[in-house]
């Protein structure tokens, strides 16, 4: 990025941003108004710790990561007073160093204080993202919004990874579609049991939403699996399987997804068996 800037390839229009300020040493930047956290979940603790030089008295830290435990981790490391809830809706991948490729046209963000209050910093972040062309809205129920996204991403990541297929064939096959719905229903049940005011019909609504995305859509976890990279499995289906017993919720589909993909969770895959 230092040499060639940042390139974005998208159906919404390509972009080339140059020059950009890019560094692997946050100490060279100093305090900023807002830190956006977008690393994979396994890097969250290290990234949050390394971001401390960026955090001043009024700095907001927003995570657009998947998962329902991310904000708790951030609060522990950078201080709860800095953490603002965030939910992102976009399908994209790093095509090559300095090049981001978006699948589909959706680019939406939801921002909100974790306690539901309206604040100037949330308004400022919403205005900045909106000015950048991102469909952004403030929410006074960001924890609920985080769980709503979690329902979707657990199903999408689990099924596209387990079946090794994009969403198109999965949603068109009766048995695979039923499995997708079951995975999502388990997340809804877990959310309700943990005190989140989710609509009991949310899983079915999210399955119908899957009908509206491009047929070639795959979760980033499925892309990571294909490339032999580490998986976010422990924080997605794995989190559902882990938290289910705590709230007396049965999670058989997510249990199977977690166990079936466990050999790939740390990346590199496994050696092929005898032919």
């Amino acid at each position: 990025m230092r040499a060639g800037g940042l390139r974005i390839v998208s159906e919404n229009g390509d972009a080339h941003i140059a020059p950009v300020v890019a560094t692997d040493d946050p100490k060279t930047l100093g305090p900023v108004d807002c830190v956006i956290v977008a690393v994979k979940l396994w890097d969250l603790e290290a990234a949050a710790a390394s971001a401390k030089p960026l955090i001043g008295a009024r700095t907001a830290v927003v995570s657009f990561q998947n998962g329902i435990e991310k904000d708790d981790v951030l609060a522990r490391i950078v201080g709860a007073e800095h953490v603002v809830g965030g939910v992102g809706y976009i399908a994209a991948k790093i095509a090559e160093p300095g090049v981001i490729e978006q699948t589909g046209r959706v680019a939406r963000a939801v921002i909100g204080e974790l306690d539901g209050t309206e604040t100037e910093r949330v308004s400022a972040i919403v205005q900045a993202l909106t000015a950048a062309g991102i469909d952004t809205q403030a929410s006074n129920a960001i924890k609920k919004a985080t769980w709503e996204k979690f329902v979707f991403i657990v199903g999408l990541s689990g099924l596209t990874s387990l079946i090794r297929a994009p969403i198109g064939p999965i949603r068109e096959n009766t048995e695979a579609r039923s499995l997708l719905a079951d995975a999502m229903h388990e997340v809804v049940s877990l959310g309700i049991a943990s005190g989140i005011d989710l609509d009991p019909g949310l899983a079915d609504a999210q399955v119908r939403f899957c009908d509206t995305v491009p047929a070639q859509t795959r979760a980033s976890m499925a892309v990571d699996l294909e490339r032999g990279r580490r998986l976010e499995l422990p924080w997605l289906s794995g989190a559902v399987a882990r938290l289910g017993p705590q709230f007396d919720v049965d999670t058989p589909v997510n249990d199977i997804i977690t166990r079936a993909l466990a050999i790939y969770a740390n990346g590199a895959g496994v050696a092929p068996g005898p032919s």
Side-chain angles (χ1 to χ4, degrees), residues 106-255:
V106 176
R108 186 163 69 89
V110 183
I111 309 289
E113 297 288 356
L114 297 177
D115 63 3
T117 57
E118 297 180 8
T119 61
E120 291 183 2
R121 66 179 182 179
V122 167
S123 297
I125 297 169
V126 170
Q127 290 173 13
L129 294 180
T130 300
I134 300 170
D135 177 13
T136 310
Q137 66 184 67
S139 171
N140 60 4
I142 194 65
K143 290 184 178 181
K144 179 179 179 180
T146 300
W147 270 89
E148 289 172 342
K149 166 72 180 294
F150 190 58
V151 171
F152 171 76
I153 201 62
V154 165
L156 183 70
S157 66
L159 269 293
T160 59
S161 298
L162 183 67
I163 298 176
R164 269 62 159 191
I167 193 61
I170 293 171
R171 69 194 183 195
E172 293 166 8
N173 179 275
T174 301
E175 294 299 327
R177 186 184 182 93
S178 176
L179 193 64
L180 174 67
D182 288 346
M184 292 182 175
H185 276 291
E186 291 175 6
V187 187
V188 172
S189 296
L190 178 62
I192 293 173
S194 65
I196 305 298
D197 183 27
L198 296 179
D199 183 338
L202 175 60
D204 293 328
Q206 294 289 39
V207 172
R208 291 192 297 272
F209 177 72
C210 287
D211 292 328
T212 70
V213 304
Q216 70 272 26
T217 298
R218 293 183 300 161
S220 61
M221 190 170 85
V223 176
D224 289 335
L225 175 63
E226 180 183 80
R227 296 182 177 182
R229 296 174 176 170
R230 192 173 176 182
L231 307 183
E232 290 187 309
L233 181 67
W235 297 272
L236 299 177
S237 287
V240 177
R242 171 167 42 83
L243 294 173
Q246 296 182 29
F247 294 94
D248 197 25
V249 174
D250 292 331
T251 59
V253 174
N254 284 287
D255 288 350

